[in-house]
Amino acid sequence: MGGAAMVPAQAESLAVAPSDQVDVLIGSSGGGNTFPGAMAPFGMMSWSPTSTRGDQTNTGAANGYDYNTTRLRGFALTHVNGAGCHPGAAGDVPIFPHTGNVTSSPTADTTDAVYASNFSHTGESATPGRYKLNLSNGATTDFAATTRTTIGKIGFPAGTPASLLFRTSNSLNGSEDAETRIDVANRKVTGSVLTGAFCGRRANGGPNNQKTYYRLYFSAQFDQPFTGNGTWKDSTLQTGGTYQTGGEGYLTGADRLGKGSGGYVNFAPGAQVTMKLGISYVSLAGAERNLQVEQPSGTTVDSVAAATRAAWDTTLGRAQITGGTTDQRKIFYTSLYHSLQQPNIISDTDGQYRGMDQVAHGLATGQTAQYSNFSGWDQYRAQIQLLALLEPKVAGDFAQSLYNFAKQNGGVWDRWVHISGATHVMTGDPSAVTLATFYAMGVRNFDYNGAFTSLYKQATVPHADGLSSAGCSGQCVGQRPNLEQYMQSKYSANDVCHCWGGAAETMEASISDFSLAQWATALGRTTEAAVMADRAGWWKNVYNPATGYMQARNLDGSWVSGFTPSTQTGFAQGSAAAYTWMVPHDVTGLATVMGGKSTAAARLDDFFHDANGNWLVRNGGALKYDPTNEPDIHAPWIYNELGKPWKTQETVRQIVDTVYTTGPSGLPGNDDLGTMSAWYVWAALGLFPHKPGSGDMILSSPLFPSATVTNSNGVVLRVNGIGSGKYIQSVTRGGVAHTDWKVASSFIQSGGTLDVTLSSAPTNWAVLNPLTNIALKRPATGSAPCSTSEGPDKAVNGSMTGGPSDKFCTLATSKWLQVDLGSSRPFSKVVVKHAAMGGESSSFNTKAFTIKTSPDGSTWTTGATVTNNTAATTVHAVTATARYVRIEVTTPTQTTNQAARVYELEVY
């Protein structure tokens, strides 16, 4: 717990490298669907086992590896972390060391009885960038990975035949075609697999509508001569063969058994073989070029492992923690490791990549790599924000990558992109949320104007795919399903939506539209901002006041019948009870329709507890919080806005302490490309993304005595947990008291220090003041405004949605703003919202000012003086009984700009 660790533990945590505190086996069982194999940060290559339970068309887990399945049929070259379906995706070209003669086609071994081997975890060693495994058949393996290549030593036992099988067609979901070529003279095996078909039978519209969308090329080079070789296709073995083609199809079981092709090479008994292998999604030449660039002459397993370990230490070291227990540090750094395995680079070392149009492309201007593997519906809630915090340059390249794909895909942004394919998985428009959030967090290295225009068009101009039910429910091709009906009805009608569920689609669209509104405001695109801001509230059209829950509606306006809070009708992978909380952008609005914040908080209490008040934060069923899936994972944090921040603190800590653990079953559910892991990282830091499309952060109690984040742009922010306990007693930001339960995006963009003093008992820190804003829409005066549309009244209108003009602005020599409360009234707090709160640059936040009060407008008392502010919102403990409140600005900005900007002046 925060602050509780002794000094020796703090010293230990500083001395141990981050990579040494990662247990890559966490989440490899119990549904986490992680994989333990070797890969570099954001790597294309991931060398890891493909396990078997006796079915050549299936595997032990979604990504090929399950800790409790200790038989494998090969080591595959590509994986996706934590996919939530079985089989998941990739698992391309499993390579198997066989200690015996190849006397029959390995594809004919449909139960993996012959060309497979058991193993024991005692012979397994897995660390970031390196994976070792000894097989029960006597073969040993030790492999390390670079971004696009792997190198390994394969040891064969003496006295037995030694063979290496390339199961080229045996991707996790099968394949359309495959090609294997053996070059005996040059000791090379090359080939490719043409595949795709995300999520097995579910993918791309069901078992009869699977879709190929990428070809992976590989080139393997060896330091030992081949003593024999051969190929196979289906049940036919060609001893001595050097070339073969043939895919498996995309079905499973009897429909696929016995199909496929590959090749094998033999070595001398007892051979110790080094294999270097490169891959590419563009061409065989690209694979060989990647191998030459990333593994120059002289590289070894040890040298590659050391370099990749160093790369991981740099990446993981962007978050340095002290204190805590050994297990807490292990869970933290493993969560960080899983969070930063993706997105994955798919461009070659020369910048070429295969686009969504299946044509080779070069990188956009300023782009350093093309990335893919975007589980948008999952990742937009926690993982993409962590990526922007730690690796803003990667985030920008990723944003550009998604935009590149959209341009190659007829302007359509797919919600789940795998390699160069649009899989259509899940629901909503997560690209809008993701790019808007990146921008709000300060990411700028992408074409944000072009991307916004494209996403706005997708949100407002109907597309023919939106009227198709192909792929529904799980993979509907329309990214804004039946958009014309949605815009007319202001909700997605469940009976004509062409989507997974009308209620879920409406809620997801509201979140995406809110994000676009924030982004449009920041870009100064006021017309688009107004359109999207209105649509952001359409979630209210699927809230049924009669039941008190979100509920699907039909086109005629009627509620879908048969409703209970546990229903999933109208929703996607979640119940009405869970989805009812999925309004992160308008918690106050949600509380209002529920009957007020007290009522909403009481309902939230019930969501996290059983009837006796005991914690129930996992395995509680459809009516309770579900930490294994995304719709409600933000729910613990919304107590803050409901006026009970101490309940966020205790609920988050309960989940941190009991849901996330060490060991293979340490994740609550599918990691979903780092989403669940990212949730833990944020929780341990004591922060969480406030709203989609925003860079603001919600506060909770930090787990560690100190955490220092240094991102790839050099911005440093610190969160210190002072003392012990799980409740916040007080917070200072840069030494100044901070009484708000959130921090503005300037903290993420510019850095700073939060000192959080902890308590063992709940406190009233950041509890919402029961008083209202008594300055709201009161008469206001001030010095001469910058323009007639930026007068003093704009600072008391309770709104910032009008964009940069929705503020008081003055260039006068004497800069002041004054509000008349109508009569002398008691108050205790004054809040000033500066430039960044309205979407302007944080460099325009007011730097120095004084707040004064007066009972009569002539006798003034200074309530607060600020000399070096950088924050977007400042809260001032000004206790007075007065009629007038005045702000006098002495230094208007952080720059030489002389315009003072006040978006809101609030008095409580």
Side-chain angles (χ1 to χ4, degrees):
M1 289 180 285
M6 302 296 288
V7 171
Q10 294 184 29
E12 176 189 354
S13 64
L14 285 172
V16 179
S19 61
D20 287 335
Q21 301 182 77
V22 172
D23 179 358
V24 300
L25 291 170
I26 289 177
S28 63
S29 186
N33 288 342
T34 63
F35 62 89
M39 73 174 294
F42 312 112
M44 179 190 296
M45 168 68 71
S46 51
W47 171 271
S48 194
T50 296
S51 63
T52 178
R53 293 174 178 166
D55 178 356
Q56 192 184 85
T57 71
N58 209 335
T59 184
N63 287 319
Y65 181 94
D66 177 76
Y67 187 83
N68 297 316
T69 304
T70 53
R71 185 171 180 81
L72 63 79
R73 64 172 176 269
F75 297 88
L77 308 178
T78 59
H79 296 83
V80 176
N81 169 42
C85 53
H86 187 156
D92 300 313
V93 194
I95 300 171
F96 178 67
H98 178 57
T99 54
N101 291 312
V102 180
T103 59
S104 61
S105 167
T107 297
D109 180 25
T110 58
T111 62
D112 291 326
V114 178
Y115 299 107
S117 176
N118 294 336
F119 67 91
S120 169
H121 293 296
T122 59
E124 181 178 40
S125 173
T127 58
R130 190 169 193 167
Y131 184 78
K132 303 179 184 180
L133 185 65
N134 299 333
L135 304 183
S136 298
N137 67 9
T140 62
T141 66
D142 179 7
F143 276 77
T146 68
T147 300
R148 302 169 181 86
T149 77
T150 186
I151 180 174
K153 286 185 174 295
I154 305 168
F156 292 97
T160 61
S163 306
L164 195 64
L165 279 59
F166 286 78
R167 299 179 178 272
T168 313
S169 67
N170 193 222
S171 299
L172 286 177
N173 285 298
S175 57
E176 180 179 328
D177 195 12
E179 178 183 55
T180 309
R181 189 183 301 272
I182 299 169
D183 182 347
V184 177
N186 292 299
R187 298 183 300 209
K188 288 173 58 175
V189 178
T190 60
S192 67
V193 58
L194 183 64
T195 184
F198 184 93
C199 271
R201 287 182 180 270
R202 267 181 44 191
N204 314 115
N208 298 316
N209 193 29
Q210 300 284 19
K211 184 172 68 175
T212 296
Y213 51 79
Y214 72 91
R215 184 184 286 272
L216 180 76
Y217 299 85
F218 71 91
S219 177
Q221 303 176 9
F222 298 88
D223 71 339
Q224 299 294 314
F226 304 155
T227 60
N229 57 274
T231 59
W232 71 85
K233 181 175 183 178
D234 298 339
S235 61
T236 302
L237 180 72
Q238 299 95 27
T239 302
T242 59
Y243 180 74
Q244 189 54 267
T245 63
E248 299 180 4
Y250 291 129
L251 303 181
T252 56
D255 295 320
R256 187 170 130 204
L257 286 175
K259 296 183 175 69
S261 66
Y264 69 91
V265 292
N266 303 128
F267 299 97
Q272 302 299 302
V273 180
T274 296
M275 178 180 76
K276 295 183 176 183
L277 187 151
I279 59 175
S280 167
Y281 292 106
V282 180
S283 65
L284 179 59
E288 298 194 327
R289 187 183 307 109
N290 292 340
L291 185 59
Q292 183 179 20
V293 171
E294 295 189 0
Q295 289 197 47
S297 177
T299 56
T300 65
V301 177
D302 287 340
S303 68
V304 168
T308 302
R309 169 193 162 96
W312 273 115
D313 280 333
T314 296
T315 301
L316 299 172
R318 300 203 185 284
Q320 293 280 351
I321 57 172
T322 66
T325 67
T326 299
D327 282 352
Q328 286 171 337
R329 296 193 298 274
K330 181 183 294 184
I331 297 169
F332 179 85
Y333 277 113
T334 304
S335 296
L336 194 57
Y337 170 79
H338 284 142
S339 299
L340 299 178
Q341 286 184 297
Q342 56 280 305
N344 301 103
I345 290 174
I346 66 163
S347 53
D348 289 344
T349 53
D350 65 356
Q352 292 289 300
Y353 70 95
R354 186 74 57 181
M356 202 168 277
D357 55 3
Q358 302 307 312
V359 173
H361 293 267
L363 299 175
T365 301
Q367 188 181 9
T368 59
Q370 178 77 7
Y371 290 86
S372 190
N373 297 348
F374 174 53
S375 175
W377 183 84
D378 309 292
Q379 291 175 300
Y380 86 71
R381 305 165 203 265
Q383 191 270 343
I384 62 105
Q385 292 90 342
L386 190 61
L387 180 70
L389 172 69
L390 300 174
E391 295 282 355
K393 294 178 180 177
V394 173
D397 276 348
F398 184 35
Q400 185 64 49
S401 299
L402 295 175
Y403 183 33
N404 292 344
F405 283 140
K407 289 188 288 184
Q408 298 152 9
N409 193 39
V412 176
W413 298 68
D414 195 77
R415 63 180 74 91
W416 214 125
V417 179
H418 179 226
I419 312 302
S420 53
T423 73
H424 323 314
V425 175
M426 298 309 298
T427 186
D429 186 7
S431 295
V433 185
T434 298
L435 271 69
T437 302
F438 282 164
Y439 190 87
M441 294 182 69
V443 176
R444 295 292 186 273
N445 57 314
F446 69 104
D447 180 4
Y448 44 80
N449 283 306
F452 173 85
T453 298
S454 178
L455 283 162
Y456 184 79
K457 180 180 179 181
Q458 177 162 283
T460 56
V461 179
H463 189 282
D465 285 352
L467 295 177
S468 171
S469 290
C472 293
S473 59
Q475 293 171 292
C476 302
V477 298
Q479 300 303 289
R480 288 278 186 158
N482 205 347
L483 179 59
E484 185 173 3
Q485 176 271 314
Y486 180 76
M487 292 189 295
Q488 290 175 350
S489 302
K490 300 185 178 181
Y491 65 89
S492 183
N494 203 63
D495 50 348
V496 296
C497 72
H498 305 291
C499 64
W500 194 321
E505 191 66 39
T506 302
M507 298 179 75
E508 293 288 356
S510 296
I511 290 171
S512 297
D513 293 345
F514 175 85
S515 302
L516 288 173
Q518 305 309 297
W519 194 6
T521 299
L523 293 173
R525 301 177 71 155
T526 56
T527 300
E528 294 97 326
V531 171
M532 292 292 105
D534 176 64
R535 286 172 46 164
W538 290 1
W539 63 268
K540 295 175 183 176
N541 297 324
V542 292
Y543 181 84
N544 186 349
T547 62
Y549 289 92
M550 302 296 173
Q551 191 170 338
R553 301 180 75 169
N554 295 313
L555 182 61
D556 64 6
S558 63
W559 300 103
V560 172
S561 61
F563 175 81
T564 65
S566 62
T567 188
Q568 292 198 19
T569 300
F571 301 98
Q573 292 190 358
S575 66
Y579 266 87
T580 293
W581 299 107
M582 203 187 79
V583 193
H585 63 294
D586 191 7
V587 172
T588 296
L590 177 63
T592 299
V593 300
M594 285 183 169
K597 291 186 176 180
S598 295
T599 300
R603 287 188 59 176
L604 198 57
D605 289 343
D606 183 63
F607 193 54
F608 292 112
H609 297 85
D610 64 18
N612 297 317
N614 300 308
W615 285 109
L616 194 57
V617 291
R618 69 181 308 173
N619 302 322
L623 299 181
K624 302 297 180 181
Y625 175 71
D626 180 10
T628 72
N629 216 343
E630 280 69 22
D632 61 359
I633 61 172
H634 70 288
W637 304 85
I638 66 179
Y639 276 118
N640 281 293
E641 194 164 342
L642 297 179
K644 299 180 184 295
W646 73 92
K647 290 196 172 185
T648 283
Q649 297 151 28
E650 64 184 14
T651 307
V652 170
R653 187 60 61 85
Q654 180 69 18
I655 297 168
V656 163
D657 288 347
T658 64
V659 173
Y660 290 80
T661 64
T662 58
S665 298
L667 280 172
N670 312 137
D671 200 33
D672 287 328
L673 281 77
T675 301
M676 296 306 175
S677 290
W679 189 99
Y680 182 91
V681 174
W682 283 118
L685 292 174
L687 302 169
F688 196 76
H690 181 205
K691 297 180 180 183
S694 168
D696 296 354
M697 293 288 145
I698 301 173
L699 299 182
S700 186
S701 47
L703 185 63
F704 299 103
S706 74
T708 301
V709 172
T710 306
N711 75 16
S712 61
N713 287 336
V715 174
V716 180
L717 57 91
R718 297 179 176 86
V719 182
N720 299 319
I722 302 168
S724 61
K726 60 187 175 186
Y727 299 100
I728 296 177
Q729 180 173 311
S730 64
V731 178
T732 63
R733 180 180 175 185
V736 177
H738 185 88
T739 58
D740 196 357
W741 47 264
K742 61 184 180 299
V743 290
S745 59
S746 58
F747 182 63
I748 298 298
Q749 294 188 28
S750 303
T753 299
L754 291 175
D755 290 310
V756 184
T757 301
L758 301 174
S759 169
S760 59
T763 74
N764 64 357
W765 172 82
V767 173
L768 292 178
N769 194 310
L771 298 177
T772 58
N773 174 17
I774 58 177
L776 182 63
K777 298 183 179 179
R778 298 298 305 171
T781 53
S783 50
C786 298
S787 68
T788 56
S789 65
E790 297 176 318
D793 61 300
K794 291 294 184 70
V796 292
N797 65 358
S799 169
M800 295 181 292
T801 59
S805 65
D806 196 357
K807 66 176 182 291
F808 169 61
C809 174
T810 180
L811 279 163
T813 303
S814 175
K815 300 174 176 66
W816 59 276
L817 170 69
Q818 180 176 308
V819 60
D820 180 356
L821 304 178
S823 62
S824 286
R825 304 182 62 179
F827 52 86
S828 59
K829 182 169 65 174
V830 176
V831 177
V832 185
K833 295 181 178 178
H834 306 277
M837 288 301 293
E840 294 191 76
S841 169
S842 59
S843 65
F844 293 156
N845 289 340
T846 318
K847 186 173 184 179
F849 55 93
T850 301
I851 295 174
K852 296 181 178 181
T853 64
S854 173
D856 55 13
S858 59
T859 303
W860 293 92
T861 301
T862 298
T865 299
V866 178
T867 58
N868 197 28
N869 171 63
T870 59
T873 299
T874 54
V875 181
H876 312 276
V878 178
T879 300
T881 298
R883 176 173 176 172
Y884 300 95
V885 178
R886 181 184 180 101
I887 177 172
E888 297 177 353
V889 177
T890 51
T891 307
T893 68
Q894 316 294 310
T895 69
T896 58
N897 188 287
Q898 290 301 301
R901 299 162 173 86
V902 177
Y903 274 80
E904 288 295 311
L905 176 63
E906 301 170 347
V907 181
Y908 295 91

